[in-house]
Amino acid sequence: MLAFALPRLLDVPAASRRSMSVVERNVATLRPAYLLLLLSGFVEPLLYLLSIGVGVGALIGDLTLPGGAVVPYAAFVAPAMLASSAMTGALAETTFNFFGKMKYLKLYDGMIATPVRPFEIALGELAWAMVRGSAYSAAFLVVMVAMGLTTAGRAAVALPAAVLVGFAFGALGMTIATLMRSWQDFDLLGSAQFTLFLFSGTFVPAEAYPAVLRWVVELTPLYRSVHLIRGITLGEGGWFWLPDVLYLLVVLGVGLAVAGRRMQRLLYR
């Protein structure tokens, strides 16, 4: 699969220009109503942080992490909300919107009549999804710093980590979108996404789960994302981040390669 993507990456300048043309097209079609929809992606995790992280956190008090560090419950929940926000924004753009453009609007059928190739369409749509996801992440990190849940320096490091999370889920989302047959399939995606949100060490440490469930949880992409961003915002050791970063890079690479291959099959059949 990666061999499929490699030839398209060799001519990097031309491929980048063609991918950016997809981003420019999305920017040109922005409408005020869509901007309000984008705002909802930031508001939802913020409400979770205020209601559970701060509200329930007032009842729970401080939380002792597996490494022995004691942190306020809101500081524990906030990075999970950030990771979830990056996931939600990326998946919304690369599943629902991507599926509609490909299957019903037939937008990409017109694009492949130009020099733009399917893999470059996928790359451009992923880059556009990350414009949205990065805006969510930056705004949420500003809120975290303002609330004293992390420092400005740690927030600066957490932003590229959140962008990586969005890229990984965006690539995964495009792959899922190419496999969907109808809008009803999105019900399954929503259920899977909500399950990840609840069981990815979001509100309690993974160590609180039974052993078998804990290992399942720790293999999910959202848990690796939460673990990475939480480690950064709470100031835990940097070398612990390496497995999370490698995991997300693999998801990104494989997802993008599969999405490009699937798009070529669907658009050229």
Side-chain angles (χ1 to χ4, degrees):
M1 289 181 293
L2 292 176
F4 170 81
L6 185 57
R8 289 156 176 74
L9 294 175
L10 294 179
D11 188 9
V12 174
S16 298
R17 287 194 300 271
R18 290 191 289 264
S19 297
M20 285 306 300
S21 67
V22 178
V23 178
E24 291 169 2
R25 181 265 167 201
N26 288 329
V27 172
T29 57
L30 278 178
R31 298 290 184 272
Y34 186 70
L35 293 175
L36 290 176
L37 180 62
L38 294 183
L39 183 62
S40 68
F42 164 71
V43 172
E44 182 177 342
L46 179 61
L47 293 178
Y48 271 109
L49 174 61
L50 295 176
S51 62
I52 297 178
V54 177
V56 177
L59 302 176
I60 296 175
D62 293 340
L63 187 68
T64 302
L65 301 180
V70 178
V71 299
Y73 186 67
F76 176 82
V77 170
M81 295 300 100
L82 174 57
S84 298
S85 176
M87 174 189 74
T88 301
L91 285 180
E93 193 65 48
T94 58
T95 55
F96 189 87
N97 293 341
F98 184 81
F99 179 78
K101 292 174 184 177
M102 181 171 60
K103 189 170 181 69
Y104 292 98
L105 297 179
K106 302 297 183 181
L107 177 66
Y108 304 135
D109 290 6
M111 286 187 180
I112 60 173
T114 72
V116 180
R117 294 172 289 191
F119 182 81
E120 294 159 353
I121 295 173
L123 199 59
E125 290 291 359
L126 182 58
W128 168 242
M130 285 322 306
V131 171
R132 174 176 178 173
S134 298
Y136 292 164
S137 300
F140 197 85
L141 282 166
V142 169
V143 172
M144 287 178 62
V145 173
M147 294 177 64
L149 302 178
T150 191
T151 65
R154 293 172 184 171
V157 179
L159 180 57
V163 171
L164 173 60
V165 171
F167 268 119
F169 275 102
L172 184 61
M174 280 193 295
T175 297
I176 293 171
T178 61
L179 297 171
M180 287 186 169
R181 299 159 298 178
S182 67
W183 294 113
Q184 284 70 31
D185 291 340
F186 282 91
D187 293 338
L188 297 175
L189 176 63
S191 298
Q193 188 174 332
F194 191 62
T195 301
L196 283 177
F197 175 68
L198 293 178
F199 296 100
S200 294
T202 313
F203 302 110
V204 296
E207 288 76 9
Y209 298 120
V212 175
L213 181 57
R214 172 188 170 184
W215 287 110
V216 172
V217 165
E218 292 184 351
L219 288 174
T220 63
L222 184 56
Y223 174 82
R224 303 318 320 177
S225 305
V226 171
H227 188 264
L228 171 63
I229 296 178
R230 184 174 283 149
I232 295 173
T233 58
L234 296 181
E236 296 181 348
W239 69 272
F240 288 108
W241 309 340
L242 184 59
D244 301 324
V245 172
L246 293 177
Y247 180 104
L248 294 172
L249 287 174
V250 169
V251 172
L252 169 60
V254 173
L256 195 54
V258 173
R261 180 184 289 271
R262 288 283 304 162
M263 284 186 67
Q264 177 152 341
R265 289 179 179 176
L266 292 170
L267 294 175
Y268 288 123
R269 65 184 179 181

